[in-house]
């Protein structure tokens, strides 16, 4: 009964600064960063705003940060932040706390730790990586992704084979019972 009183109390205060955990929409200050901008192309063109790749709007589509359902993918968002920090540290080292190599190492460690995760598809990750990164630094990540993909493919094949075998056993038992019951 305690959790039922909390939303009513939060609604009765009427404060726009305190978002409720039961609200269906995120607060306005978090909507642009986490959930992407909801502006249409015509409204952004009429406002004259020029967006850069490092802006708070999330790119949509197959190579963007948002998934097929339009939901944000936090791992791609975090990878993009690390890559932006790495490139920014190369161009303006005084503005960043670490050197570009440390951000690059962090991005590679992140990729190795989550290789094969559904939010980090390799074909999209390769599309967002800087072109100046050598392939030998990405080789362990690509090998781990290939192993994970092969494992999933073989597991799916095994699952299908087991399902087929279970169906054949069931059909065989049904056919045997049917033959026993038939009298002419």
């Amino acid at each position: 009964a305690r959790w039922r009183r909390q939303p009513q109390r939060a609604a009765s205060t009427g404060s726009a600064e305190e978002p409720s955990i039961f609200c269906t929409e995120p607060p306005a200050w978090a909507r642009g960063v986490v959930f992407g901008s909801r502006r249409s192309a015509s409204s952004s063109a009429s406002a004259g705003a020029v967006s850069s790749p490092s802006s708070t709007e999330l790119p949509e589509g197959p190579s963007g940060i948002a998934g097929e359902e339009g939901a944000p993918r936090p791992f791609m968002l975090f990878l993009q932040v690390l890559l932006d920090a790495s490139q920014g540290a190369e161009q303006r080292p005084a503005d960043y706390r670490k050197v570009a190599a440390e951000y690059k190492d962090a991005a590679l460690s992140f990729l190795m730790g989550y290789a094969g995760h559904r939010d980090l598809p390799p074909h999209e990750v390769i599309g967002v990586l800087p072109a100046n990164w050598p392939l030998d630094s990405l080789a362990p990540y690509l090998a781990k992704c290939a192993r994970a993909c092969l494992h999933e493919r073989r597991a799916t094949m095994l699952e299908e084979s087991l399902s087929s075998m279970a169906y054949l056993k069931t059909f065989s038992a049904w056919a045997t019972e049917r033959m026993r019951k038939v009298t002419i």
Side-chain angles (χ1 to χ4, degrees), residues 49-159:
V50 177
S51 64
S52 64
S54 63
S55 70
T56 58
E57 294 182 16
L58 298 175
E60 298 291 331
S63 65
I65 296 172
E68 290 90 24
E69 302 87 28
R73 295 186 297 185
F75 286 170
M76 283 297 285
L77 182 64
F78 183 60
L79 177 64
Q80 190 64 46
V81 167
L82 287 174
L83 295 176
D84 288 345
S86 174
Q87 290 175 346
E90 283 179 359
Q91 296 168 357
R92 299 177 313 275
D95 294 346
Y96 290 87
R97 297 173 70 193
K98 298 181 179 184
V99 295
E102 291 182 53
Y103 288 115
K104 180 181 175 181
D105 290 342
L108 290 173
S109 297
F110 174 70
L111 287 174
M112 281 299 296
Y114 292 99
H117 193 276
R118 65 182 178 92
D119 285 349
L120 285 173
H123 63 281
E124 291 182 23
V125 168
I126 290 175
V128 298
L129 291 177
N132 62 352
W133 283 19
L135 188 60
D136 63 342
S137 66
L138 298 173
Y141 164 71
L142 295 173
K144 192 170 181 179
C145 285
R147 284 193 306 266
C149 180
L150 186 61
H151 170 74
E152 185 164 336
R153 188 169 160 203
R154 287 180 176 168
T156 303
M157 289 172 50
L158 180 64
E159 185 178 322

